[in-house]
Amino acid sequence: MLFPLPLTIMLYFQLVIMAGTVMLAYYFEYTDTFNVHVQGFFCYDNSYTKPYHGPEESSAIPPALLYAVVAGVPTLVITVTESVLFLLQYTSKALDSREKTIVTGDCCYLNPLVRRTFRFLGVYTFGLFTTDIFVNAGQVVTGNLAPHFLTVCKPNYTALGCQQALRFISHQEACTGNEDDILRARKTFPSKEAALSVYAALYLAMYITCTVKAKGTRLAKPVLSLGLMCLAFLTGINRVAEYRNHWSDVIAGFIIGVAIATFLVVCVVHNFKGKLLLTENPPQDNMADTPMINLPRVESPLEKYIASQNHIAFAEVT
């Protein structure tokens, strides 16, 4: 199957979009290009005086583990599933009349297995970085404070004049604690861990449900899908239990992850209902088997004249 030039251009355009998405996520995550909004607080506000359980690496679900799971598990599951489906179809059907290679442009040849795997994983990766961008944008714009903010901020209440009355502190110099801990404590809404975990779980659950059609999986697929969603839900609960996020942060993260995963699955990959791995060649048109439509025959004036002359000649002979 030869893809025309406009489709090849669209593939390159999609690669540019993916590169731009990755770069934007990088600037949000690892640079100070976007300044975090400085949100004020009231003196002795009990909503922000929860204990601090140490840096993110000391959490029960550290960022390294979370990122490895959301990146590695879907990649492994989709690759293995597509390979198994391809091998089952490859060995169960005749291969003489099957299409086994797809030509992209004039130089690149892609096996149907590679094409489907890259399609599903590419959309998943795009959604993963998009989720990260949405979450980081929300954190930068809102600057919502973590439940342990005042614990790491360590404000000097005497110098701030909090002895006489309840005051609202709005300037950044009010904190005397570690600057990195304070910056992280200002970026909690929405919860990144909740958004990434539920996005990966929902995308993978919908992939398993829509793709695996083997007999005997009527209960296995729901159990596996609900198990994935349960792990994502426990990730959000852990964030609240360790006083790293509020319930509102976790719920907002869940909404973002669910919305992006649902949109990509339904509108982009169409519930994973792509072409078969080995598609049959289209049958040739057989005009002999096509019934003809019977239309009334209209004689031309010339035909009528010839017929009348033949009738007269026949009468003279007889």
Side-chain angles (χ1 to χ4, degrees):
M1 181 178 180
L2 180 61
F3 285 172
L5 182 60
L7 187 53
T8 305
I9 296 176
M10 288 301 298
L11 292 176
Y12 294 146
F13 181 66
Q14 292 174 5
L15 292 177
V16 172
I17 294 177
M18 176 66 77
T21 304
V22 174
M23 289 300 298
L24 183 57
Y26 172 81
Y27 278 110
F28 266 118
E29 193 76 29
Y30 298 105
T31 66
D32 55 355
T33 305
F34 305 97
N35 296 323
V36 181
H37 172 70
V38 178
Q39 181 174 318
F41 58 92
F42 287 98
C43 298
Y44 305 105
D45 192 342
N46 294 328
S47 301
Y48 308 122
T49 57
K50 300 299 187 294
Y52 179 53
H53 290 274
E56 294 289 341
E57 289 73 16
S58 62
S59 173
I61 305 178
L65 175 62
L66 178 66
Y67 297 155
V69 170
V70 299
V73 173
T75 301
L76 179 63
V77 171
I78 293 176
T79 303
V80 172
T81 303
E82 290 297 322
S83 301
V84 172
L85 293 177
F86 179 82
L87 292 176
L88 290 176
Q89 191 176 2
Y90 189 90
T91 55
S92 63
K93 296 186 177 181
L95 303 180
D96 294 336
S97 61
R98 303 289 177 179
E99 176 190 5
K100 305 181 188 60
T101 304
I102 291 182
V103 184
T104 305
D106 298 328
C107 61
C108 302
Y109 296 88
L110 294 180
N111 186 277
L113 168 64
V114 178
R115 178 179 61 87
R116 279 176 55 95
T117 304
F118 267 84
R119 179 192 178 195
F120 296 151
L121 288 180
V123 173
Y124 174 77
T125 304
F126 173 77
L128 201 64
F129 283 105
T130 302
T131 304
D132 185 79
I133 291 173
F134 271 78
V135 169
N136 279 298
Q139 292 177 352
V140 168
V141 171
T142 60
N144 199 40
L145 305 179
H148 60 262
F149 174 75
L150 292 181
T151 305
V152 299
C153 176
K154 301 177 181 179
N156 188 344
Y157 290 117
T158 303
L160 295 174
C162 295
Q163 306 302 325
Q164 290 79 13
L166 187 63
R167 296 189 56 185
F168 182 77
I169 310 301
S170 59
H171 50 89
Q172 189 173 4
E173 292 76 11
C175 296
T176 61
N178 184 272
E179 293 184 0
D180 293 335
D181 294 338
I182 296 172
L183 181 61
R184 282 193 295 267
R186 292 186 181 275
K187 301 171 62 176
T188 62
F189 181 87
S191 173
K192 180 184 299 183
E193 289 74 12
L196 293 178
S197 60
V198 78
Y199 166 78
L202 183 59
Y203 187 96
L204 191 56
M206 297 178 74
Y207 171 80
I208 294 172
T209 304
C210 298
T211 304
V212 179
K213 302 296 183 181
K215 296 181 179 179
T217 59
R218 183 170 299 177
L219 290 179
K221 291 190 294 185
V223 169
L224 183 59
S225 300
L226 292 177
L228 293 172
M229 297 302 298
C230 181
L231 292 176
F233 181 70
L234 291 177
T235 301
I237 292 181
N238 177 74
R239 300 295 300 179
V240 177
E242 293 183 349
Y243 303 117
R244 301 183 187 276
N245 289 101
H246 301 278
W247 274 112
S248 58
D249 307 334
V250 173
I251 294 174
F254 283 160
I255 293 175
I256 292 176
V258 169
I260 294 177
T262 304
F263 170 77
L264 293 178
V265 170
V266 175
C267 300
V268 178
V269 295
H270 305 290
N271 296 322
F272 304 101
K273 294 179 181 179
K275 291 178 62 179
L276 295 176
L277 295 178
L278 298 175
T279 57
E280 295 183 359
N281 293 328
Q284 299 294 330
D285 294 337
N286 190 359
M287 299 301 296
D289 298 336
T290 304
M292 302 297 293
I293 300 177
N294 294 326
L295 296 176
R297 184 172 179 273
V298 180
E299 294 183 353
S300 64
L302 180 60
E303 289 177 340
K304 292 181 179 180
Y305 175 76
I306 295 174
S308 62
Q309 294 297 323
N310 291 337
H311 177 69
I312 295 172
F314 179 75
E316 291 177 353
V317 173
T318 58

